[in-house]
Amino acid sequence: MAHQITMKFAQTDLSGQQRKIQLLDDRALRIREKRNKRQCEYSIDLLALAPGSQRQLALSRPWLMGSGLTLLGVLFLFWWFPRYLPDTADGYLLLTLVGGSLLIMGQLYLFWKYSSRQQVFVSRHANIPLLKLQVNQPSRNEFEQFVQHLEQRITRLANDFELSTQQQLSGELRMLRRLSKNRVIAQAQYAQAKEKLFGRFEESSAPNAHLPEMADA
């Protein structure tokens, strides 16, 4: 059965990863990602997403940690040279100060460059991040239009289908299992989500009820 593409959206993030998103029948997202010649395609059902998105700051921690380690190295050399190379310490200290400062400044620049604001859509019950968008990319107007339309469709679908809590949990778990098999989310995330969803199902269901269609979960 052919699907109607009701909206398209594309981004390239700071690491060079390309992401193309198609909204199919105003019901599901088909996402194609490409990084370093590797391609991945997967789909996300809007009914499994929480109605609102979250704005987060994604920090480039490796560069921040690198600048911290460089600073510790500079401080260590400032302690070491005067004690073990007293005759030539001044020259080495100047070299260390200049080289260390330049290196730290470069690392802090890369930290700033590769840190970004993201708009994150999470799963409805397990709160697993499933879609991360770079804020205001490729343009502010395109970004806001896409996010607004997506949030409206998620809310409208939830109202139109009126699924029970058990149906929501079952559908979300099936989708997360599929995304885990396709390596879109980590196995640890799926295991955590699975435990949480089973707990929610037990809270909302009758005694001795079983989560439907979960034999291979």
Side-chain angles (χ1 to χ4, degrees):
M1 179 180 177
H3 293 284
Q4 180 183 2
I5 300 175
T6 52
M7 199 170 192
K8 294 182 178 181
F9 186 73
Q11 284 189 334
T12 300
D13 64 22
L14 297 175
S15 64
Q17 176 175 323
Q18 298 177 358
R19 181 181 294 109
K20 296 182 179 180
I21 304 173
Q22 296 175 336
L23 181 57
L24 305 178
D25 304 324
D26 265 344
R27 169 64 191 270
L29 295 174
R30 179 165 61 196
I31 303 172
R32 292 188 176 99
E33 294 181 348
K34 181 178 180 181
R35 176 186 292 181
N36 299 330
K37 299 182 179 180
R38 291 184 56 192
Q39 295 189 16
C40 176
E41 180 175 322
Y42 56 96
S43 61
I44 297 175
D45 193 330
L46 296 190
L47 282 170
L49 294 177
S53 58
Q54 309 166 5
R55 186 159 293 190
Q56 300 176 355
L57 180 61
L59 300 177
S60 181
R61 290 185 175 85
W63 290 114
L64 183 61
M65 293 176 60
S67 64
L69 292 173
T70 301
L71 178 59
L72 291 176
V74 169
L75 294 176
F76 171 78
L77 291 176
F78 264 75
W79 170 85
W80 192 85
F81 284 134
R83 286 166 174 75
Y84 296 98
L85 296 174
D87 296 335
T88 56
D90 290 344
Y92 285 123
L93 290 176
L94 179 60
L95 183 62
T96 299
L97 179 62
V98 174
S101 298
L102 291 175
L103 187 56
I104 291 173
M105 290 173 61
Q107 290 170 326
L108 290 177
Y109 168 75
L110 292 172
F111 165 73
W112 170 80
K113 180 179 179 181
Y114 289 109
S115 296
S116 63
R117 291 182 301 158
Q118 294 181 340
Q119 198 81 18
V120 182
F121 288 83
V122 302
S123 63
R124 183 176 296 269
H125 295 281
N127 202 41
I128 300 296
L130 297 179
L131 178 62
K132 298 180 180 180
L133 303 174
Q134 302 295 318
V135 173
N136 296 336
Q137 295 292 335
S139 70
R140 181 175 181 178
N141 183 56
E142 289 180 78
F143 170 80
E144 291 182 348
Q145 184 179 6
F146 180 74
V147 170
Q148 183 179 15
H149 182 75
L150 205 55
E151 291 179 335
Q152 290 175 349
R153 284 303 303 164
I154 293 171
T155 300
R156 188 173 303 171
L157 282 171
N159 294 333
D160 290 346
F161 279 82
E162 296 182 348
L163 298 177
S164 67
T165 301
Q166 290 83 358
Q167 289 173 317
Q168 294 177 25
L169 295 170
S170 175
E172 182 174 336
L173 186 55
R174 287 198 301 271
M175 187 187 70
L176 292 176
R177 182 178 63 233
R178 172 169 46 82
L179 294 177
S180 174
K181 290 180 178 179
N182 292 335
R183 299 182 180 179
V184 177
I185 63 173
Q187 288 288 339
Q189 286 180 298
Y190 172 65
Q192 182 181 8
K194 180 180 175 182
E195 182 178 356
K196 185 174 183 178
L197 293 177
F198 268 97
R200 291 288 301 274
F201 186 84
E202 291 175 356
E203 292 174 1
S204 62
S205 63
N208 300 320
H210 298 285
L211 196 60
E213 302 182 38
M214 290 294 107
D216 60 342

